[in-house]
Amino acid sequence: AFSGYHDLSGHWQARANLGWVSDERYVEDFANRLAGISSSYLQSTAGVYGVGEYWSAGAMAEHFQLTDYTLTDANLPYSRLPRTYVNWEQPLGQWLDAGVWAEAVHFHHTEYAGGSRLDVKPYLSARLAGPAWYITPTLAWRYTAYQLDNDLAQQLGGDASPTRSLPITTLEAGMYFDRDTSIGGADYLHTLEPRLFYLNAPYRDQDGLPLFDTRPFTFSWGQLFRDNRYSGADRQTDANQMTVALTTRLIRQADGREKLSASLGQIRYFEDSQVVAPGETPVAEGKSAWVADANYVVNDRWNLGASYQWDPKFR
């Protein structure tokens, strides 16, 4: 195994994390943590990464080696050989932001046919805000194109160069209320923060697109405010939905540290969602589970966090 990095300049850095074993039972025999024992493969990455005032970029290669003798290479994820990405966002005046996310990847697998994917997402966002409120409308356009190996193209319907293109609109709004309070002799700033998040994305048939590195996110607090419920670019959800959420915080006046935060939220789906991954249940019109999230700072070394979900449809 090898892990290291090297600064190439003020903006660029080369990093590598390489691992290889000749004994497929090595991880099982020598791991001293549950994460190591349960791992079924080793991941090796090497790349060059850069960051600037308004941009970040990188070029890397990623490879997987099987370490579970009960499995075969068919269980490995696709290797990304290579992957490049660029993320740029820059303010345009006092209240407007423009940006683009772009990624190009070639997917390789020893057991399955692969291909290449280009994903580009330019967007324009307005920052409208006052001392106690904000409204952030965002308009994005997502374009994804593939060049597939012939075998994979035949499995998906025969098109070796499928594409997907659609607009994505979001509107986030919130307010901020605060008051001074005292608890146990300590002074705190107590906040109340209602928040709305609206998402609209039209349906596009994506049955002819492969699934290289995309899976549904586990439903959680963060999922309430994402514009896609999938982890990769192979699926873009269709949506007409509104998130309603409320957060309260206790901020210690002495040093500005957050002592307690608690949040509660739910999504209201105005329409059935038609985009699904294999084996996934479609999202039906109605309400999502309630999601509660809380964090408490016990002291400078300990933090206690908890999350809870309640789905009224299934009780």
Side-chain angles (χ1 to χ4, degrees):
F2 167 81
S3 179
Y5 73 92
H6 178 67
D7 285 319
L8 302 178
S9 69
H11 293 294
W12 292 92
Q13 185 181 90
R15 296 200 302 267
N17 186 6
L18 309 177
W20 179 83
V21 293
S22 59
D23 179 3
E24 60 186 5
R25 294 192 181 220
Y26 174 84
V27 175
E28 179 190 51
D29 291 340
F30 291 95
N32 57 8
R33 296 181 298 118
L34 179 61
I37 296 172
S38 61
S39 176
S40 58
Y41 55 79
L42 285 178
Q43 179 183 9
S44 295
T45 60
V48 178
Y49 308 89
V51 61
E53 183 177 3
Y54 299 119
W55 60 271
S56 61
M60 48 87 75
E62 177 184 57
H63 177 70
F64 298 96
Q65 182 192 6
L66 192 69
T67 58
D68 188 337
Y69 66 92
T70 67
L71 303 177
T72 67
D73 285 350
N75 298 100
L76 288 174
Y78 276 90
S79 295
R80 298 187 286 186
L81 301 170
R83 172 184 179 244
T84 60
Y85 68 89
V86 175
N87 185 25
W88 169 79
E89 182 180 63
Q90 187 165 350
L92 301 178
Q94 295 183 350
W95 56 275
L96 201 63
D97 291 330
V100 62
W101 162 259
E103 180 192 48
V105 192
H106 177 72
F107 294 95
H108 173 76
H109 203 286
T110 58
E111 301 293 325
Y112 303 118
S116 300
R117 183 186 71 203
L118 173 67
D119 186 45
V120 181
K121 184 182 176 184
Y123 58 90
L124 197 63
S125 181
R127 291 174 281 106
L128 310 175
W133 62 274
Y134 66 91
I135 300 175
T136 308
T138 301
L139 177 62
W141 191 278
R142 189 168 202 178
Y143 174 78
T144 310
Y146 294 84
Q147 189 62 49
L148 306 178
D149 294 345
N150 290 333
D151 291 344
L152 182 56
Q154 292 301 318
Q155 296 173 22
L156 296 172
D159 188 358
S161 304
T163 62
R164 179 196 61 213
S165 182
L166 75 160
I168 303 172
T169 304
T170 63
L171 177 66
E172 184 171 0
M175 300 188 71
Y176 183 89
F177 303 95
D178 64 67
R179 67 187 181 102
D180 294 325
T181 188
S182 180
I183 301 175
D187 295 328
Y188 294 93
L189 185 70
H190 180 208
T191 74
L192 195 64
E193 306 165 39
R195 182 179 177 186
L196 298 175
F197 181 79
Y198 176 72
L199 167 63
N200 187 282
Y203 169 72
R204 295 290 188 268
D205 184 4
Q206 299 170 53
D207 292 340
L209 304 184
L211 278 174
F212 287 130
D213 61 353
T214 299
R215 299 291 184 273
F217 279 115
T218 299
F219 190 72
S220 63
W221 173 258
Q223 186 63 24
L224 300 180
F225 307 99
R226 291 191 178 101
D227 64 3
N228 192 14
R229 69 173 187 270
Y230 298 99
S231 62
D234 297 320
R235 292 292 183 272
Q236 170 61 52
T237 183
D238 59 317
N240 182 16
Q241 64 189 54
M242 173 78 79
T243 295
V244 179
L246 182 67
T247 297
T248 184
R249 308 175 199 271
L250 283 176
I251 301 173
R252 195 160 54 197
Q253 298 276 29
D255 54 10
R257 294 193 63 181
E258 184 178 276
K259 183 68 174 179
L260 172 71
S261 68
S263 302
L264 180 68
Q266 185 185 56
I267 301 176
R268 177 69 165 87
Y269 302 105
F270 300 119
E271 300 173 356
D272 294 342
S273 180
Q274 302 179 64
V275 176
V276 292
E280 183 189 15
T281 302
V283 176
E285 178 182 349
K287 298 178 180 179
S288 75
W290 285 100
V291 181
D293 191 80
N295 287 277
Y296 175 68
V297 177
V298 180
N299 52 42
D300 291 341
R301 295 189 177 186
W302 291 93
N303 179 71
L304 181 65
S307 297
Y308 183 78
Q309 293 188 27
W310 167 256
D311 195 327
K313 291 185 295 183
F314 303 104
R315 299 187 63 81

